[in-house]
Amino acid sequence: MADEDEELVLQRHKKEVKELQAKIQSLKHTVPKGDKKKKKEVTLEIAKLEEELTNRHKKELSEALENDSTKESNQELDVSEEMEAVSINADNSESQSKLSKAQKRRDKKAAKEKEREQRISEAELENVHSARNVEAEKLKEILEAKSLSVKEITPDGNCLYNAIADQLSRRNQQTGMETLRKLAADYMLNHQDDFLPFLTDAKTGQVYTPDQFVHYCEELAGTTTWGGHLEIQALSQALMMPIEVYQANAAVLRSGEEYDSQPILLSYHHHAYGLGEHYNSVIPTEECFES
């Protein structure tokens, strides 16, 4: 697999994405109508499968590009060494000729590199950006019906927490991203039974051990690791506020429905930036035009 070039990798990735989509549809059909617990379990499993596939595809594409670059670099090195050996016995005119040929080879290599980058860009447009545009338009329609709009949050691994911080700031509650991370981690640690069953080891497929769960919470509090549905549930309970997450192709996900306060509004994007997933803040449309 490591020796595949980028074209083969991209073709295989397309096939695997289609297979995952079929599997996701199958999983969704296993949810009995009105079974919220099963729905949450399936949602978490789907998110896990999508994240694993995304990360693996990104790694494999990077390895394929690195292999191609290494092969071309080695070929260029061999040619350069041959030219250097010939130039020792050549006169000035021959040397100039060899340099000209070397420049042509460099130009040819640069053209190949540009062509490969173009192929990758086209694949990105087909596999990601077009899906992103479709998703954005659907979500826009859903939000416009409620006079809501998306407020963009920086995609830096802290998007979930910064989106919630933005929502709180609109209620004059200045709570930083770091504080929200620690709040979520502490709540999960203190309610282990509510969260541990939903975390599995990607290598073994087994539910996290207590030690793995503690490590997960430590990373949640102290790194830029991505946050998801479990962290949303934890923050909803810790803040004692309902949280609603709008999506293009699914119903609104609600956490903390037992609380009566105004809900925190977020949007979830499967195809926001490159191959990554993303959360934004959702605000009343009229606020988008305020200075």
Side-chain angles (χ1 to χ4, degrees):
M1 186 179 294
D3 292 332
E4 287 181 298
D5 61 32
E6 69 274 13
E7 290 184 357
L8 291 175
V9 170
L10 289 170
Q11 289 174 6
R12 178 165 54 78
H13 285 182
K14 285 183 181 179
K15 181 180 178 182
E16 290 177 349
V17 168
K18 290 181 179 179
E19 290 174 348
L20 178 59
Q21 290 173 343
K23 184 175 182 179
I24 287 174
Q25 290 302 316
S26 177
L27 284 171
K28 288 181 178 179
H29 291 153
T30 65
V31 180
K33 187 174 181 181
D35 190 337
K36 293 184 178 180
K37 182 177 180 181
K38 180 64 175 178
K39 182 178 180 181
K40 288 183 179 179
E41 291 175 356
V42 170
T43 299
L44 288 169
E45 183 178 355
I46 289 173
K48 176 176 173 290
L49 291 171
E50 290 176 331
E51 182 177 6
E52 288 175 352
L53 185 65
T54 294
N55 291 338
R56 179 165 63 78
H57 281 185
K58 189 173 182 181
K59 180 181 178 182
E60 290 175 355
L61 182 57
S62 176
E63 289 176 349
L65 291 175
E66 184 178 351
N67 288 336
D68 281 356
S69 297
T70 300
K71 291 176 184 176
E72 290 193 4
S73 296
N74 289 337
Q75 291 170 356
E76 183 71 18
L77 180 59
D78 292 340
V79 171
S80 297
E81 289 174 348
E82 291 174 6
M83 288 175 56
E84 192 174 318
V86 171
S87 67
I88 295 175
N89 298 317
D91 57 21
N92 289 338
S93 61
E94 290 175 335
S95 178
Q96 290 296 325
S97 175
K98 296 298 182 184
L99 289 174
S100 176
K101 290 181 180 179
Q103 183 61 48
K104 289 179 179 179
R105 276 188 284 267
R106 286 194 290 270
D107 292 343
K108 185 177 180 180
K109 179 181 177 182
K112 286 184 177 179
E113 183 67 26
K114 184 176 181 180
E115 182 183 353
R116 180 168 63 226
E117 290 177 355
Q118 184 176 353
R119 289 200 305 268
I120 294 172
S121 297
E122 290 172 354
E124 285 287 320
L125 284 171
E126 180 179 353
N127 295 332
V128 179
H129 298 318
S130 60
R132 179 181 65 186
N133 293 337
V134 170
E135 179 183 47
E137 286 302 314
K138 286 184 179 179
L139 185 57
K140 183 179 179 182
E141 290 179 7
I142 292 171
L143 294 178
E144 282 183 345
K146 298 177 178 294
S147 298
L148 297 171
S149 297
V150 167
K151 179 186 177 183
E152 294 288 342
I153 300 296
T154 302
D156 58 2
N158 297 311
C159 58
L160 171 62
Y161 308 99
N162 282 326
I164 292 177
D166 176 76
Q167 288 281 302
L168 294 175
S169 71
R170 296 173 186 279
R171 309 179 192 194
N172 297 317
Q173 298 180 33
Q174 303 304 320
T175 306
M177 170 271 297
E178 297 89 349
T179 300
L180 290 172
R181 278 187 171 278
K182 188 175 187 306
L183 189 64
D186 288 345
Y187 186 88
M188 291 175 72
L189 283 169
N190 292 327
H191 299 81
Q192 179 174 311
D193 292 343
D194 294 334
F195 297 94
L196 180 56
F198 298 101
L199 290 168
T200 56
D201 190 312
K203 294 181 179 179
T204 65
Q206 300 297 313
V207 174
Y208 270 10
T209 65
D211 287 343
Q212 286 178 308
F213 181 72
V214 170
H215 179 68
Y216 177 93
C217 292
E218 288 174 348
E219 285 196 330
L220 161 59
T223 70
T224 59
T225 185
W226 188 82
H229 189 62
L230 289 180
E231 287 75 19
I232 289 175
Q233 289 181 306
L235 285 171
S236 174
Q237 296 297 321
L239 294 168
M240 292 189 290
M241 293 181 181
I243 298 179
E244 296 182 356
V245 183
Y246 288 88
Q247 305 176 78
N249 298 305
V252 178
L253 288 178
R254 293 182 171 86
S255 299
E257 294 181 89
E258 65 270 29
Y259 301 114
D260 295 328
S261 60
Q262 179 182 354
I264 288 171
L265 303 182
L266 307 175
S267 59
Y268 175 66
H269 308 257
H270 282 272
H271 310 286
Y273 294 94
L275 296 176
E277 299 166 349
H278 185 63
Y279 286 95
N280 280 317
S281 177
V282 171
I283 63 176
T285 300
E286 64 267 18
E287 291 187 20
C288 296
F289 303 100
E290 295 179 359
S291 56

